[in-house]
Amino acid sequence: MEYTFYDDPDTAAIICCHITENKSPILYVSHDEDDGMWQFLCGKEHEIDEARLVSLQWVFDLDNSISTLKDMPCGCYAERITKNDDWVIRKR
């Protein structure tokens, strides 16, 4: 699938170690209002040392289903219960 985000593919993104190391699915995505940073998490509670810095392209290549979130504005987050569910977007 072709990269669809408006942000540059090399844009830094935060992802949790449960996804990168344990292959947990992405179930929570945040597009932070203060700095525009994207965060991709497994839906569990996290400590700071569990965060990894990767490119937005790396996350996209890992899970193309995030492409539906490309228009999600800063200050919003998206959740889903399982990898096969649709994303539900909410404003903070």
Side-chain angles (χ1 to χ4, degrees):
M1 179 178 228
E2 186 176 328
Y3 181 83
T4 58
F5 279 78
Y6 301 111
D7 291 305
D8 188 84
D10 291 328
T11 299
I14 294 172
I15 192 167
C16 74
C17 67
H18 303 117
I19 297 167
T20 61
E21 297 162 21
N22 300 336
K23 308 297 184 220
S24 295
I26 299 170
L27 300 179
Y28 181 90
V29 178
S30 173
H31 196 188
D32 298 342
E33 188 166 21
D34 58 345
D35 59 7
M37 184 74 124
W38 289 92
Q39 294 188 48
F40 300 90
L41 307 171
C42 66
K44 297 179 182 162
E45 294 291 320
H46 297 91
E47 300 296 325
I48 294 204
D49 65 338
E50 295 176 313
R52 306 293 182 260
L53 194 61
V54 296
S55 71
L56 192 53
Q57 175 78 56
W58 190 93
V59 181
F60 180 81
D61 291 343
L62 178 70
D63 184 351
N64 294 150
S65 74
I66 66 165
S67 66
T68 60
L69 303 176
K70 69 182 176 77
D71 294 319
M72 186 169 74
C74 292
C76 291
Y77 65 95
E79 294 179 296
R80 60 186 176 179
I81 296 172
T82 72
K83 182 177 176 134
N84 297 320
D85 291 324
D86 291 331
W87 289 104
V88 176
I89 299 172
R90 294 184 173 95
K91 180 117 175 107
R92 286 205 183 275

